[in-house]
Amino acid sequence: MTIPGRLAFVGGIAVALLLMGAGVAPVLVWIAVAFNIAIAVAMLIQARRLRRIRVHVERRDWQRGHIHRPRNFIYVIENRSDERIICRLDQEWPATFSATQKRAEVFIEPGEMVELALEATPQARGRTPLPPTQVEIRFPSAWVVRRWLQDAHQTIAIYPDLQQLAEYDTLLHAHLLGQLGIHRHRQLGGGREFDQLRNYVPDDDYRQIDWKATARKQKPITVVHRTERSQNLLLCVDCGRLMGNPAGNGTYLDKATDACTLLAHVADRGGDQVGLLLFRDSVLKFLPPKHGKTAVLRIIDSLVDLDAQPVFPSFAAWAEAVQIRNRKRSMIFLFTDLGDPQLSADLVATVPVIARRHVVVVISIRNPTLDQVADGPAAERADIYRILAARTLSDERAARTRQLVQAGVQVLDVDHPSLLVKTVNKYLDIKARQLL
C-alpha cells in the first residue's frame, strides 16, 4: 500500500494556506493549483520509484524465548535496490510480553544489509501467536510511503528459564556450586559402583582393600565406590487450581516448571534417567524415564504449554499412573500445594501405596506471606485476627506435613524463592544417602 508521505502533507497545508489568501489576492488560486499539480506529479514519480524498490525483511530466530528473560528480537533488512531508503518497522507485541520498544527506523544504502533489534520480555510460558510486522519504506524526501504487513502467521514458544542450566554448568565446572546454595554430596565409600583405586589410609575399612591391586603395587590399595547411576527420577507436576496461585513474578506452576527443568538437567548430568508425569483431574502426559539430552529436551518442551486449570487434582489418578507405567523403583518428586485440607487428605490416603515401592518426595510450595503475617506485629484489633488466622493455617499445614512423613514420604514445604536450591539439594541428598 502506498500512501502520502510527510512532504505531501506539508505541501497540502501550503496549498490550503494559499487558497485561504485567495480572497485578498486572486492570483494565489492559480499558484495553489500549480503547486498542487507539482505535488501530485512528485508523488506519482516517487510512487513508481518506490514500487521498483526491492527490500527483504526477515525475522531472525524468533521461534523461541524464555520467560522473564529480556532479549533482542532481530530483524535482518536487505536493500536489493540501487537507491538509498529509510526503513521503519512497527511491531505490536502479544499481551503476555512487556516491551519498551515497538518501533525502529534505519537508513539503508543500496545493496546494504542491516540488523535491527527490538527488546521485549516474555512474561508467560506457552506458544503465542505473534502479530504481523508493519514494514514502511520511503525515500529521504518522503513524498510517498509504501507499507505492508509481514509474517502474519508466526508463533513463538516461550520456554521455562533455561539460563539457569547454563549457570549451573558454569559453576559446576568451576566447583562453585555453593554460590547457588547447592551442596554436592559425593559418596566415596558406601556406594556400590566402582569409582577409583587409591592408596590405603589408616581410617579405611579393611574390607575395602583390593588385594589384587595390593599385590601388583606391593602396598595396600583401597577400592572406592560411588553412588549408583542409571537410576530413575520421575517428576510429577500437579496442574490443578492451587498451582495457579501467584508467586513472585509468576505462579506456583511457573516455579514448579523451573524447578523441574533444572532438576532434570542435574539428574541427566549425574547419569540418571528422567521422566515426567503431568496431571489434573486425570493424567495429561507421561514420559517414561530415559537417558540423555534428548529426554531432557522432551521434558522441557512438554512444560511449555502447561497451565493451571480450576479443577481439583486427582491423586488417585496420579498414583494409578505411577503404579502401572513406572514399575521400576524410582525417586518420585511430586510438586503440589498442601494448602487445601481435603486435597492433602486425599494425598495422605493415596501416597502410602507409592511410598512402599518408591522414594517419594512431596514438594509443597508455600506462600511466604503467610509466615510474615503469622510472625508480624499487631497494631490494631483486626491485625490480631489476621495473625491468629495465619497461625491456624500454618499449624494445619504442619499437621498435614507430619501425616505425610508418618506415611513414609519426605516433604519439602518451601517458599518459591528457595524452591530451586532446596529441590536440587534434596535430590543430591537422596543420591548420597543411597535411599534408592
Side-chain angles (χ1 to χ4, degrees), residues 102-123:
K102 294 185 177 182
R103 177 179 298 174
E105 189 173 279
V106 64
F107 281 89
I108 310 178
E109 300 295 336
E112 185 182 14
M113 179 183 293
V114 299
E115 291 185 356
L116 207 57
L118 296 177
E119 184 176 307
T121 305
Q123 299 294 342

Side-chain angles (χ1 to χ4, degrees), residues 361-382:
V361 180
V362 174
I363 303 168
S364 178
I365 304 174
R366 186 183 186 90
N367 188 348
T369 306
L370 186 67
D371 297 328
Q372 294 172 5
V373 173
D375 297 335
E380 300 177 0
R381 177 174 294 183

